[in-house]
């Protein structure tokens, strides 16, 4: 019993760890979102929302991006590195077992002083065990911190998955919007070209004045100048989409036209759900947990480190007798080491760890507040972009009618050609603006899903683990 008491005491002490245990900070969560829609559907939050656009090509691109995107590969490497650090931290909790072997040949000083010349050999082999007893929990806190960092790196990868999926969808929407704008611009150029040909004939036979012909030519040349910038933007957007999918820059196959894409159903969620859905919030909390554990690591340095070491093996002057009876050696030792005076180094490390934990807590709370703002902004943008699209669609119809009436009045001699030019410019501008508005409306629906997070990220994780055949 007298030997059992110290062992029980060590076990009880080892069950405790210096430093504060992690507790999630209190969070001020609003009851609801200010711009929440009454028509939102709760059951859509965890679905693969990009499939609601009903474009199989887009679905394929999202899947390819989550399988081959380079940033995701970097994030996975970071997870593996964090897992390695966790293994290192946990290994300190266990005894380390090693070995040593050696051979020596020489003349000892005592033999030489006695006038002898006998050269002796010495062979040694031994196994050793070294174990630092984690009496104060510093090693366990280090392991706790490493584990939290590993979980943070996993959430960081989920955040990259969210970003890659969102960027792929939005880049594809921008590309389809540019395609439609290019089609409108080219149709306008072709229409104006026919007008130039007609007016050149009229001028040739003296039906119109030269100033009217030059007005038509000016309109045609202005329309031509609108095409190259759109073509340039298309190439840049195609290349951006290629990079997202881990491809070399090149042409991109298109799916449905912009007007044929279906807007996703708006999801519904409470602000509190962000705490379990958003990867950035979960990552920030794990980083806070890791920083909190470092306080215990620093405080453990106030206490002595206790180590047990042992060695067992054999030593002999002849190699074949090395492991025979009578040649064995052994050693068992306990050691305690600590610092009496370090110039405030340990105190400084504790203060640093505490300050870093406070900073991590503020980053965590700030991330939560930013997530609320992201959702509110996404909800507000979706509603505003929907209204803008509706207004611009009506404006297109009005300007097309205005352009038709202006042409009729000019042909009837009731209006100058400048009226026709103004009407056609307004119709063209309205069509381009309506196209941009539709891209913004569809993108804001995607942004809302991205801001809310959801289990759809887990579905992407499953897809990202399936590697496609490399081209």
């Amino acid at each position: 019993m007298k030997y059992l008491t110290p062992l029980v005491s060590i076990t009880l002490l080892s069950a405790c760890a210096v430093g504060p245990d992690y507790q999630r900070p209190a969070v001020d969560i609003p009851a609801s979102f200010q711009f929440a829609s009454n028509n939102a559907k709760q059951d859509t939050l965890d679905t693969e929302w990009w499939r609601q656009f009903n474009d199989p090509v887009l679905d394929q691109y999202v899947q390819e991006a989550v399988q081959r995107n380079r940033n995701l590969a970097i994030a996975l490497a970071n997870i593996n590195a964090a897992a390695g650090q966790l293994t290192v931290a946990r290994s300190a909790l266990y005894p380390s077992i090693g070995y040593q072997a050696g051979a020596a040949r020489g003349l000892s000083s005592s033999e030489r002083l006695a006038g002898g010349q006998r050269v002796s050999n010495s062979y040694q082999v031994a196994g050793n065990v070294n174990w630092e007893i984690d009496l104060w929990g510093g090693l366990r806190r280090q392991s706790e911190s490493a584990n939290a960092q590993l979980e943070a790196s996993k959430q960081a990868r989920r955040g990259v998955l969210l970003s890659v999926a969102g960027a792929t969808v939005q880049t594809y929407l921008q590309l389809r919007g540019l395609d439609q704008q290019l089609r409108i611009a080219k149709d306008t150029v072709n229409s104006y070209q026919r007008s130039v040909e007609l007016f050149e004939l009229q001028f040739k036979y003296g039906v119109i004045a030269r100033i009217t012909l030059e007005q038509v030519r000016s309109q045609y040349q202005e329309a031509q100048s609108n095409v190259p910038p759109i073509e340039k933007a298309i190439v840049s957007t195609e290349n951006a989409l290629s990079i997202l999918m881990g491809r070399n820059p090149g042409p991109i196959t298109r799916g449905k036209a912009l007007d044929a894409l279906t807007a996703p159903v708006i999801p519904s969620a409470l602000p509190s759900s962000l705490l379990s859905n958003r990867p950035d919030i979960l990552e920030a909390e794990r980083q806070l947990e890791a920083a909190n554990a470092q306080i215990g690591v620093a405080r453990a340095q106030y206490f002595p480190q206790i180590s047990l070491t042992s060695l067992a093996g054999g030593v002999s002057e002849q190699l074949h007798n090395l492991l025979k009876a009578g040649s064995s050696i052994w050693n068992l030792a306990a050691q305690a080491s600590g610092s009496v005076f370090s110039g405030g180094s340990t105190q400084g490390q504790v203060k640093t760890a505490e300050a870093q934990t406070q900073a991590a807590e503020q980053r965590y709370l700030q991330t939560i507040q930013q997530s609320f703002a992201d959702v509110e902004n996404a909800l507000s943008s979706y509603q505003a972009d929907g209204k803008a699209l509706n207004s611009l669609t009506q404006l297109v119809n009005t300007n097309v009618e205005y352009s038709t009436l202006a042409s009729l009045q000019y042909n009837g001699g009731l209006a100058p050609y400048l009226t026709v030019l103004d009407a056609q410019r307004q119709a063209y501008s309205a069509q381009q603006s309506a196209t941009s508005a539709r891209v913004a409306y569809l993108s804001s629906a995607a942004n809302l899903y991205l801001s809310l997070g959801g289990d759809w990220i887990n579905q992407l994780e499953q897809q990202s683990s399936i590697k496609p055949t490399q081209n």
Side-chain angles (χ1 to χ4, degrees), residues 8 31 114 123 199 259 267 286 363 371 380 448 457 459 470:
V8 172
Y123 301 94
F199 276 62
D259 290 338
R286 298 286 77 78
R363 283 193 295 271
S371 72
S380 175
L448 183 52
I457 306 176
Q459 299 172 27
Q470 299 293 324

Side-chain angles (χ1 to χ4, degrees), residues 44-45 47 49 52 264-267 445-453 456:
T44 61
L45 181 60
T47 61
W49 52 269
Q52 297 183 50
V265 176
I266 296 305
N447 277 332
L448 183 52
Y449 275 94
L450 296 172
S451 64
L452 289 170
W456 57 269

Side-chain angles (χ1 to χ4, degrees), residues 68 70 238-239 241-243 245-252 471:
R68 301 180 61 172
R70 302 300 178 186
E238 284 182 325
N239 291 339
L241 189 54
S242 295
I243 296 301
M245 293 187 291
R247 299 181 184 178
N248 291 327
I252 294 293
N471 293 335

Side-chain angles (χ1 to χ4, degrees), residues 111-387:
E111 181 77 18
R112 188 175 186 85
L113 289 173
Q117 297 294 325
R118 188 174 69 89
V119 177
S120 62
N121 298 324
S122 176
Y123 301 94
Q124 178 178 337
V125 63
N128 60 73
V129 178
N130 182 44
W131 184 22
E132 180 181 343
I133 300 177
D134 190 26
L135 198 60
W136 319 112
L139 297 178
R140 277 171 287 149
R141 290 301 190 192
Q142 187 64 56
S143 177
E144 178 184 332
S145 178
N147 184 67
Q149 288 289 1
L150 173 59
E151 294 302 317
S153 65
K154 291 179 180 179
Q155 293 302 326
R157 183 175 185 270
R158 294 178 77 243
V160 176
L161 271 170
L162 181 148
S163 298
V164 167
T168 301
V169 170
Q170 291 171 341
T171 304
Y172 182 79
L173 292 175
Q174 292 172 5
L175 180 61
R176 299 309 284 136
L178 289 168
D179 289 337
Q180 183 161 304
Q181 288 182 331
L182 181 61
R183 178 183 58 79
I184 293 171
K186 287 185 173 181
D187 288 346
T188 301
V189 169
N190 293 334
S191 176
Y192 290 171
Q193 184 178 15
R194 291 191 295 269
S195 296
V196 168
E197 294 171 353
L198 175 62
F199 276 62
E200 284 176 342
L201 288 175
Q202 291 180 345
F203 174 72
K204 180 179 179 180
Y205 293 103
V207 178
I208 61 172
R210 184 176 183 85
I211 188 172
T212 303
L213 175 60
E214 295 305 325
Q215 287 173 341
V216 177
R217 285 176 174 170
S218 175
Q219 184 184 46
Y220 169 64
Q221 291 162 356
E222 181 181 355
Q224 280 186 313
S225 68
N226 292 329
V227 173
I230 300 176
E231 291 177 332
K232 176 183 176 182
I234 286 175
V235 172
S236 298
T237 307
E238 284 182 325
N239 291 339
L241 189 54
S242 295
I243 296 301
L244 280 169
M245 293 187 291
R247 299 181 184 178
N248 291 327
I252 294 293
T253 301
R254 270 59 160 183
K256 291 186 176 181
L258 181 68
D259 290 338
L261 298 177
T262 305
V265 176
I266 296 305
S268 174
L270 295 174
S272 59
S273 66
L274 297 183
L275 300 181
S276 58
N277 286 338
R278 293 257 308 207
D280 56 343
I281 293 179
L282 297 175
E283 179 187 1
E285 184 175 9
R286 298 286 77 78
Q287 290 174 341
L288 170 58
E289 185 178 355
N292 182 79
Q294 287 297 321
I295 296 177
V297 175
R299 287 183 181 177
Q301 297 182 60
Y302 281 122
F303 305 95
Q305 295 180 352
I306 300 176
S307 300
L308 298 177
T309 60
S310 65
L311 179 144
V315 60
S316 174
E317 293 185 355
Q318 297 180 352
L319 186 61
H320 65 275
N321 291 327
L322 186 60
L323 299 179
K324 289 184 178 181
S327 64
S328 62
I329 59 172
W330 64 273
N331 178 55
L332 180 63
Q335 178 181 346
S337 62
S339 174
V340 176
F341 177 74
S342 61
S345 173
T346 301
Q347 182 182 10
Q349 292 181 53
V350 172
K351 287 185 176 180
T352 298
E354 290 174 341
Q356 290 175 340
T357 300
Q358 293 170 1
E361 180 177 348
Q362 293 305 312
R363 283 193 295 271
Y364 169 65
L365 297 175
Q366 184 182 45
T367 302
I368 293 175
Q369 289 181 332
Q370 184 60 53
S371 72
F372 295 153
D374 290 344
V375 176
E376 292 285 14
N377 292 339
L379 287 167
S380 175
S381 295
Y382 179 79
Q383 295 177 14
D385 290 340
K387 293 176 182 178

